[in-house]
Amino acid sequence: MSASNGAEESGAMPRLKDGTLVRDLFDHGKRQVQLRVHHDAEIFDLEMERIFAKSWLPVAHESEIPNPGDFVRRYMGQDSCLVVRGDDGGISVLLNACSHRGMALCREEKGKAANFKCPYHGWAFSKEGRFMAAPFEKQMYGDQLRRDTEDLGLVTAKTGMLAGMVFANWDHEAESFQDYLGDFGWYLQAALERTNRGLEVVGPPQRHIMRANWKLLAEQLADGYHARALHQSAGDMGTLGHNPNDPASWGLIGINVSTPGGHTLRCIDMRLAYNFEGLSAEASAKERLAAIPPPGANPAMVAEFGQNLTDGQIALIADTPPLVMGLFPGTDFFTLMSVSGSEDGSHGPVMVARTWIPRAPDLFEMLTWILVEKDAPEDLREKTKRTTVRNFGISGYIEQDDAEAWQGIQKVVQGPVGRKLTGKYQAQLGIVKPDDFHGGGDVHAGFSRDDAQWAWWKRYAEVMSN
Ligand code: FES
Ligand SMILES: [Fe+2]
């Protein structure tokens, strides 16, 4: 059996054309990864088949398509898809390819459709992807077009939802969405599903192209270590690191969490990073949240948290709130306070969801959604929008720093000598779980080391090698 660009698979063990077994790209003893993983077209093709055709991927926020017939066109890996609201309010994710001869069905970015009609020969499909009709059906096919026995409908993905974000997976045999989230569902609900009415997006996602391999972003999510050097300029502006020599102020002290499934989470220790002056030492988690509401919330929303979250989840977002939440392979959420760009120099909330779509070994497209609470008053909504675009997306202070690293490494791996280097992840803390910490997964409490990042690579290696 061979993959599309020549990577041979002997049994279940993929081997590259130069004879290298894919599993040998990873040294688990030394915790190193060969940097050629960011360059080789053969590896890219294997990723599309083994990861992106079989993983849960975010495609839209449900608030982008509120009414029956509303749709957006997106990508899952290299496959174009339509995310469509049906007449019953349900959401379908359809391969954007006609079942007749494979023509791209829809070329609009977004719109409203009663059904989808192929521009080539005119076959028509329902909002759920069912075959409806073919022009001149009797003259063309007589009674041979076997709608009853042949599947003439569009390829569909199965769907799941988190905080209104619609996820889809082409593989109907894949684990359920809840199983995919596993222990991470608890953390993500605490950070994102805390209010009665939940979240919505502010407009369509920002889109931009990055000249780098998609993994350079994905594996970086758990890397706290880079903040002090790469984000120095953001620190100088007051975005991060209000005390340059204090690791807590750079978000380096806290709790990292990882799972065998490759999800990674970085929680900062609010008790170290913020000054709770004026609150008594015995203040409860709810009192502290009411005094300093988490990003995107106000005191009225904090009062609702108890209806939606457990005491353990409330303690999490009061003491060690998730800052960076990464889901393998292509999703992250950030919730933090940062400089808003206002003339008064104040901080505001960042609430963002992102996905990265591999286009080529050295190119990915980024989609960045701004999230707000549906109940957010206009001033909070405006401040969240302003602060988020100042920090993330094409105009973001933080993201522009990160993009330097993604593109800087990508330039190195273009070279035949450079790509023989390895990425190194030896700084391991191990499992350290405080007694009063309620979350699951592999918990690494303390200085943010490489544990969670290496967990991401272990999952990647497992999916690519076996
Ligand atoms: S390819 Fe769509 S109708 Fe022929
Ligand atoms: Fe960063």
Side-chain angles (χ1 to χ4, degrees):
M1 188 165 76
S2 69
S4 55
N5 200 44
E8 297 292 328
E9 300 200 18
S10 65
M13 196 77 78
R15 184 188 292 278
L16 304 177
K17 277 189 290 192
D18 70 0
T20 305
L21 282 169
V22 170
R23 71 168 184 198
D24 292 339
L25 299 171
F26 314 94
D27 186 329
H28 293 273
K30 292 182 178 169
R31 296 196 178 89
Q32 293 183 357
V33 182
Q34 292 188 28
L35 290 186
R36 67 181 286 190
V37 296
H38 300 304
H39 173 79
D40 285 11
E42 290 175 89
I43 292 171
F44 182 83
D45 281 354
L46 276 177
E47 290 170 349
M48 293 308 103
E49 292 184 19
R50 288 180 161 238
I51 299 177
F52 285 86
K54 297 179 178 175
S55 294
W56 285 101
L57 302 166
V59 287
H61 193 274
E62 61 146 352
S63 57
E64 294 181 81
I65 47 170
N67 301 308
D70 289 349
F71 72 89
V72 291
R73 183 166 59 80
R74 295 281 150 78
Y75 275 89
M76 294 168 64
Q78 293 192 303
D79 288 302
S80 172
C81 68
L82 300 169
V83 188
V84 193
R85 179 78 73 170
D87 292 329
D88 63 357
I91 292 174
S92 300
V93 177
L94 314 169
L95 185 68
N96 184 24
C98 179
S99 59
H100 181 217
R101 294 197 190 144
M103 173 69 178
L105 204 53
C106 175
R107 284 169 287 184
E108 305 296 325
E109 293 287 337
K110 58 181 288 195
K112 193 175 191 66
N115 49 56
F116 294 96
K117 185 177 155 197
C118 179
Y120 198 177
H121 308 92
W123 284 24
F125 303 88
S126 75
K127 295 191 268 295
E128 292 76 27
R130 280 191 304 280
F131 172 77
M132 293 170 67
F136 302 117
E137 180 176 333
K138 196 143 192 63
Q139 293 91 328
M140 278 296 290
Y141 301 104
D143 60 359
Q144 293 171 33
L145 194 57
R146 303 305 304 268
R147 330 163 153 237
D148 48 347
T149 54
E150 257 187 89
D151 188 1
L152 300 174
L154 305 178
V155 172
T156 61
K158 61 180 183 176
T159 59
M161 196 178 294
L162 173 81
M165 187 61 72
V166 180
F167 286 74
N169 190 326
W170 293 123
D171 180 8
H172 287 263
E173 305 297 313
E175 61 189 342
S176 73
F177 185 60
Q178 288 314 316
D179 287 348
Y180 160 74
L181 293 178
D183 287 322
F184 264 49
W186 184 87
Y187 295 98
L188 293 163
Q189 283 157 7
L192 304 168
E193 295 185 340
R194 56 201 179 174
T195 58
N196 294 349
R197 293 189 61 223
L199 300 173
E200 63 185 8
V201 292
V202 181
Q206 268 193 19
R207 294 170 55 190
H208 63 280
I209 294 284
M210 192 63 61
R211 294 206 167 275
N213 184 276
W214 67 275
K215 297 188 292 299
L216 289 163
L217 184 166
E219 65 104 43
Q220 189 206 49
L221 296 174
D223 184 311
Y225 188 37
H226 74 278
R228 179 69 176 81
L230 188 66
H231 294 303
Q232 176 66 56
S233 60
D236 291 344
M237 287 188 293
T239 305
L240 298 163
H242 51 267
N243 178 353
N245 296 315
D246 173 12
S249 82
W250 290 94
L252 290 174
I253 309 289
I255 297 179
N256 289 0
V257 186
S258 59
T259 68
H263 304 331
T264 61
L265 185 68
R266 293 184 52 225
C267 303
I268 52 164
D269 197 324
M270 277 291 282
R271 296 159 297 189
L272 298 174
Y274 276 78
N275 183 356
F276 284 96
E277 208 173 319
L279 279 177
S280 89
E282 286 79 41
S284 70
K286 279 181 189 158
E287 286 166 336
R288 278 183 281 120
L289 285 173
I292 305 180
N298 62 18
M301 295 171 198
V302 171
E304 294 177 1
F305 288 4
Q307 297 167 48
N308 300 290
L309 305 178
T310 64
D311 287 347
Q313 287 173 312
I314 288 174
L316 173 82
I317 56 177
D319 296 341
T320 50
L323 177 79
V324 188
M325 295 160 265
L327 291 171
F328 187 93
T331 312
D332 68 25
F333 298 93
F334 277 75
T335 57
L336 66 147
M337 299 299 287
S338 189
V339 287
S340 66
S342 300
E343 284 176 9
D344 63 7
S346 64
H347 279 55
V350 171
M351 295 260 284
V352 71
R354 305 186 303 176
T355 189
W356 38 96
I357 300 158
R359 294 290 198 201
D362 61 351
L363 212 66
F364 68 83
E365 180 179 358
M366 179 85 112
L367 267 64
T368 303
W369 289 268
I370 301 168
L371 302 168
V372 293
E373 294 285 353
K374 284 182 181 151
D375 282 336
E378 195 50 42
D379 58 339
L380 180 57
R381 181 176 294 259
E382 184 58 29
K383 194 150 197 177
T384 306
K385 182 172 129 187
R386 177 187 287 260
T387 312
T388 302
V389 298
R390 288 295 167 110
N391 287 271
F392 289 94
I394 43 179
S395 56
Y397 307 132
I398 292 177
E399 194 159 314
Q400 287 175 17
D401 291 345
D402 289 328
E404 283 298 316
W406 307 334
Q407 297 182 120
I409 296 169
Q410 195 64 39
K411 282 183 188 142
V412 166
V413 301
Q414 306 304 322
V417 178
R419 79 180 67 121
K420 290 193 176 67
L421 294 175
T422 56
K424 300 170 182 65
Y425 302 85
Q426 287 98 348
Q428 299 285 312
L429 196 61
I431 304 289
V432 182
K433 184 170 178 176
D435 290 340
D436 61 349
F437 188 74
H438 302 273
D442 294 332
V443 176
H444 318 283
F447 195 95
S448 179
R449 293 198 190 167
D450 294 339
D451 304 77
Q453 234 180 327
W454 185 245
W456 190 94
W457 278 113
K458 277 205 294 195
R459 174 60 176 168
Y460 174 83
E462 177 184 75
V463 179
M464 291 291 286
S465 309
N466 297 321

